[in-house]
Amino acid sequence: MVSETDSSHIVKAGSLNIHYHEVGAGQPLIMLHGAGPGASAWSNFNQNVEAFAARFHCFLVDMPQYGKSDKVVIPGGRLTFLAAFLRDFMDAVDLRQAHFVGNSMGGQAAIKLAIDSPERVDKLVVIGS
């Protein structure tokens, strides 16, 4: 059973403190939550993370302004900011490329990353994005 507490980490991604959960082994899979009130990676994916972790090295990321990550004012376009943040996060955890599962806004951010930096995205699954 995946523990919320034991899988919890903070990393400096660019200038931001970003909270994430890390579980599993295999190819890297970044899981991005939606934008609903109180949303976090854990709240969006805790029910199915064990199934993913059986096959993938999962990173459940609290995006800026959500969960336990820094609450910041986003200058300019949100999706451009989030794509840049995702590159910074990947660099901080030493990932050159990853698969992505994105729910709602998380899917939009992953799509924007794929547009801006296609070499960073292997496979992409989006839900209601």
Side-chain angles (χ1 to χ4, degrees):
M1 177 145 205
V2 175
S3 163
E4 180 178 6
T5 304
D6 293 341
S7 64
S8 179
H9 303 281
I10 299 279
V11 69
K12 191 72 145 184
S15 64
L16 302 174
N17 291 310
I18 298 299
H19 177 259
Y20 68 102
H21 297 273
E22 184 175 2
V23 296
Q27 292 181 305
L29 172 63
I30 296 175
M31 304 172 81
L32 302 171
H33 61 81
S40 70
W42 190 258
S43 71
N44 274 208
F45 297 109
N46 75 79
Q47 296 293 316
N48 52 23
V49 68
E50 285 191 45
F52 282 105
R55 185 168 174 197
F56 297 101
H57 184 177
C58 300
F59 296 83
L60 289 70
V61 180
D62 287 347
M63 290 192 285
Q65 299 183 319
Y66 292 89
K68 297 176 185 170
S69 289
D70 280 350
K71 310 305 184 263
V72 296
V73 175
I74 295 177
R78 174 184 288 273
L79 294 179
T80 298
F81 175 86
L82 291 175
F85 144 73
L86 287 170
R87 285 189 299 275
D88 288 343
F89 175 80
M90 291 175 77
D91 290 345
V93 296
D94 199 29
L95 296 177
R96 186 185 68 74
Q97 188 179 62
H99 302 312
F100 286 81
V101 171
N103 178 29
S104 189
M105 178 192 66
Q108 293 173 17
I111 290 168
K112 180 66 169 150
L113 177 64
I115 291 167
D116 292 353
S117 302
E119 72 283 358
R120 305 301 297 261
V121 178
D122 190 0
K123 293 185 175 55
L124 177 60
V125 174
V126 295
I127 307 155
S129 299

